[in-house]
Amino acid sequence: MSPLRLRDLSGIPDYKPGKAAPASSRGPAPFKLSSNENPYPPLRSVTEALNGSAALVNRYPETAASDLTRELCTRFAVEPAQLVLGSGSVEIVSQLIRATAGEGDEVVFAWRSFEAYPMLTLAAGAVPVRVPLTADHRHDLDAMLAAITERTRLVLVCNPNNPTGTVVTRDELDRFLGQVPPDVTVVIDEAYVQFNRHADSPQGIDYFRRHPNVAVAHTFSKAYGLAGLRVGYALAPVQLAAAMRKVALPFGVTALAQAAAVASLRAEDELAERVEHLVRERTRVTRALAEQGWRLPRTEANFLWFPLGGHTMAAAAEFETHGLLVRPFAGEGFRVTIAEVEANDAVIKAARSVRDAGLYD
Ligand SMILES: *Cc1c(COP(=O)(O)O)cnc(C)c1O
């Protein structure tokens, strides 16, 4: 049998999904804290909207997504021509990369940041340029600026950053955008914006309004709790938005996803309470860990970053014995989602064991 002639994809890492709870296991029931999901079940109004749309699944979704587009345009005071929907904001990032960068063009982002960035860049045939985070786990915007070349088409700024939870400040972003060439697109990926309480951190929408080369990516997966439905969107300059639609996955946002997203936007007060609860839990866990002597980067997202270096995998195994599945990056650290109270209590206990085992110095 002769091998198929495929593209050379050997440079693209496989996507590692957050570890799922095993079907059966001994020990405490595992909490999946590896994908930054919302621990709450869908709101009743969302389930009702899904039930209402279920009878239509023999039809293709309406590609214009008029209801969802109208809701979002009203909320952000933008034109439909400036709004693009995608099958999760992962697809939005993919559209942004493929609309701006082709073979040999460069996409600049911080590292470590969202795992999908290098994969999506390589899949587009473009070249990822990874700019190391600062020693305190933050974007180094000066170094990112210095990394921009003639070949740079896109810069991704993940704020708050996945997996470290850190933010850029308005001053840093102002200085950065003041120097980025005007024909280079800057994307602010705000997957966790609803959890960000940092007084000096920028809101992407303000920058989208002021800078003609800025786009913002948002998702319904995290604060809105619709990760399983796959819906995200970008606010983008008209010219870029039109290009994104050309490379978008056809029918990428299902009618179910549209209906649930609209219902969520209309139930925002209820969802905001849930987010507030998770933020309070984040504060509680952060304080308990500080009392144990942990010095973790200040997080503005629904997760914590444990910079454990060479102890990462051993510490992740220790968390697993406490029934906690985390997202480890060997040699660097692991990310733990803030979830239900019981899971967070277990995180505090597991962190204590990791310290007692001498896995943090
Ligand atoms: C989770 C996440 C996304 C979005 O995921 P979707 O489920 O595809 O909307 C985008 N960017 C970052 C940084 C994320 O962590």
Side-chain angles (χ1 to χ4, degrees), residues 18-211:
K19 212 167 178 178
S24 76
S25 66
R26 271 168 280 155
F31 288 109
K32 184 179 176 229
L33 307 182
S34 51
S35 299
N36 299 339
E37 291 152 335
N38 196 312
Y40 292 103
L43 298 175
R44 173 114 62 105
S45 58
V46 169
T47 314
E48 279 166 8
L50 288 170
N51 290 339
S53 314
L56 299 172
V57 296
N58 56 316
R59 304 290 179 191
Y60 283 106
E62 186 214 348
T63 41
S66 351
D67 289 352
L68 180 54
T69 300
R70 199 176 317 113
E71 280 298 315
L72 289 168
C73 286
T74 306
R75 144 170 325 229
F76 292 110
V78 299
E79 296 299 319
Q82 298 170 298
L83 183 88
V84 186
L85 298 174
S87 183
S89 66
V90 163
E91 205 238 334
I92 288 293
V93 174
S94 167
Q95 291 172 16
L96 284 158
I97 292 171
R98 291 188 302 135
T100 56
E103 206 65 46
D105 292 331
E106 293 170 357
V107 177
V108 173
F109 47 84
W111 201 249
R112 179 165 289 277
S113 188
F114 188 32
E115 272 185 289
Y117 297 160
M119 295 168 47
L120 296 172
T121 302
L122 290 162
V127 180
V129 178
R130 300 172 177 84
V131 179
L133 297 170
T134 61
D136 53 354
H137 312 283
R138 305 178 60 246
H139 276 61
D140 187 342
L141 289 179
D142 290 334
M144 289 174 74
L145 185 67
I148 294 175
T149 70
E150 280 286 290
R151 298 309 303 257
T152 307
R153 297 290 177 271
L154 189 71
V155 182
L156 294 157
V157 177
C158 189
N159 192 56
N161 186 45
N162 176 4
T164 58
T166 53
V167 294
V168 298
T169 65
R170 278 193 299 271
D171 286 350
E172 288 167 341
L173 191 62
D174 286 338
R175 202 169 64 228
F176 177 72
L177 287 170
Q179 295 177 73
V180 171
D183 58 355
V184 171
T185 299
V186 176
V187 175
I188 308 177
D189 182 345
E190 291 190 326
Y192 303 97
V193 64
Q194 295 86 354
F195 300 99
N196 187 352
R197 297 287 180 274
H198 199 297
D200 297 328
S201 184
Q203 290 287 320
I205 179 73
D206 301 334
Y207 286 76
F208 166 72
R209 290 197 212 289
R210 286 206 297 271
H211 296 268

